[in-house]
Amino acid sequence: MKPKNKTVATWLTFLGGPLGLHRFYLRGFGDLMGWLLPIPTALGLYGIERVQQFGQDDMWSWWLIPLVGFTISGCALMAIIYGLMAPEKWNARFNPGADPEALPGRTNWFTVVGIATALMVGTAVLMASLAFSFQRYFEYQIEEARQISQ
């Protein structure tokens, strides 16, 4: 079995996490969560498509779009966790039988850049998803209140 590199896992989680690629890299193709991760991603992308078709007043879009945002943010968080994991813990979990200080578990500058990028992008996507969802929710509530009062 080939050793799992922490830097590769960090970048794969950040870039391909919403498709489950990091799960397949770390746990193999039998990982159920790896197969389930594309579902909220696809639903969120469908929500974006609905906004383009029906406009911003589409109620389903403000339920669906945050799914892709939360999935991207969650994967960015996992990339940060993987990147900050101690080499001993990384090698014990993903490279059992390897030396605790083995090279695949070590942190390098490319890992640090992956952590920083995941932090910046993940935070921005999370805040945008929350802002979009809450804005649509409150606008919908105001519209409902207007219709009731008329």
Side-chain angles (χ1 to χ4, degrees):
M1 188 165 92
K2 188 175 179 183
K4 308 296 189 235
N5 187 291
K6 179 166 68 168
T7 302
V8 171
T10 299
W11 279 99
L12 201 55
T13 306
F14 173 61
L15 296 174
L19 300 175
L21 300 180
H22 66 293
R23 304 281 304 195
F24 299 136
Y25 173 70
L26 294 172
R27 293 176 174 84
F29 286 108
D31 184 58
L32 179 64
M33 189 61 138
W35 291 107
L36 293 177
L37 265 171
I39 294 172
T41 304
L43 288 172
L45 293 175
Y46 174 65
I48 293 170
E49 185 179 321
R50 285 186 65 93
V51 166
Q52 292 172 345
Q53 283 181 334
F54 304 113
Q56 291 186 353
D57 293 333
D58 179 49
M59 187 174 78
W60 280 103
S61 67
W62 59 265
W63 281 105
L64 294 173
I65 290 175
L67 291 175
V68 73
F70 295 146
T71 304
I72 291 170
S73 299
C75 289
L77 177 62
M78 281 309 302
I80 294 167
I81 291 169
Y82 287 155
L84 293 176
M85 195 176 288
E88 306 84 31
K89 189 174 180 182
W90 177 267
N91 287 322
R93 182 176 292 172
F94 297 111
N95 298 317
D99 180 46
E101 290 294 324
L103 187 61
R106 290 191 186 163
T107 303
N108 58 44
W109 281 106
F110 199 51
T111 314
V112 173
V113 170
I115 293 167
T117 305
L119 179 61
M120 288 187 297
V121 173
T123 303
V125 169
L126 178 62
M127 297 315 303
S129 297
L130 288 171
F132 176 81
S133 183
F134 286 135
Q135 177 185 354
R136 292 288 155 234
Y137 173 75
F138 289 122
E139 286 175 355
Y140 182 75
Q141 293 300 317
I142 290 170
E143 188 63 34
E144 288 289 315
R146 276 192 209 147
Q147 289 177 359
I148 292 172
S149 67
Q150 291 178 355

